[in-house]
Amino acid sequence: DHAMKKHTLQNLIRLQQHSQLLKDYANDLANQLIIEFDINEGHKIARFLKVSQGLDNYTAVRYWAEKWLTAQYPLTDDASVYEDLKYDDGLYPQLKHQFLKHFPNTAVA
């Protein structure tokens, strides 16, 4: 029973680490969006992304990116999933595509 508890704790710690990794990746991706689309400070984007209205543009994009990434890669204690993410060049184009869908008036390349 004791071993079982310890195992579970290790899993929880791993999940927490992976959650942080996902957050870091999401931040990197969000920062790319912010740079590419020259997003400025302000509060208009949250409404388009359907996230909490109180968020400024940067926070809204980061929060949305994290939600998107977590939906694609639900939390697991399997580390290899997250190792692969680091080298996944397809991730940003996918995210960008989904991001642009929220802005109906912009041309989607």
Side-chain angles (χ1 to χ4, degrees):
D1 185 49
H2 180 67
M4 183 66 207
K5 274 201 177 84
K6 191 172 164 202
H7 181 64
T8 308
L9 182 61
Q10 281 170 340
N11 283 5
L12 282 175
I13 291 168
R14 249 200 311 269
L15 285 174
Q16 181 55 50
Q17 288 168 335
H18 294 165
S19 174
Q20 188 56 54
L21 267 180
L22 272 180
K23 205 191 250 323
D24 292 345
Y25 291 147
N27 270 341
D28 289 346
L29 291 165
N31 290 342
Q32 286 182 62
L33 284 174
I34 288 165
I35 291 163
E36 179 171 349
F37 295 103
D38 201 14
I39 293 168
N40 56 11
E41 295 177 69
H43 290 79
K44 291 193 168 65
I45 287 180
R47 200 184 64 220
F48 285 105
L49 296 179
K50 298 182 174 57
V51 296
S52 175
Q53 299 292 297
L55 300 177
D56 65 85
N57 288 347
Y58 299 150
T59 309
V61 172
R62 291 184 183 123
Y63 177 73
W64 174 82
E66 191 186 335
K67 266 178 46 172
W68 180 82
L69 195 58
T70 307
Q72 309 307 306
Y73 298 93
L75 217 44
T76 164
D77 60 6
D78 175 10
S80 64
V81 173
Y82 304 99
E83 283 304 304
D84 295 347
L85 271 188
K86 210 181 310 182
Y87 307 107
D88 186 351
D89 295 334
L91 215 48
Y92 181 67
Q94 281 176 49
L95 178 88
K96 184 165 106 172
H97 181 69
Q98 292 305 317
F99 179 75
L100 288 172
K101 278 184 170 173
H102 288 275
F103 301 91
N105 311 336
T106 52
V108 179

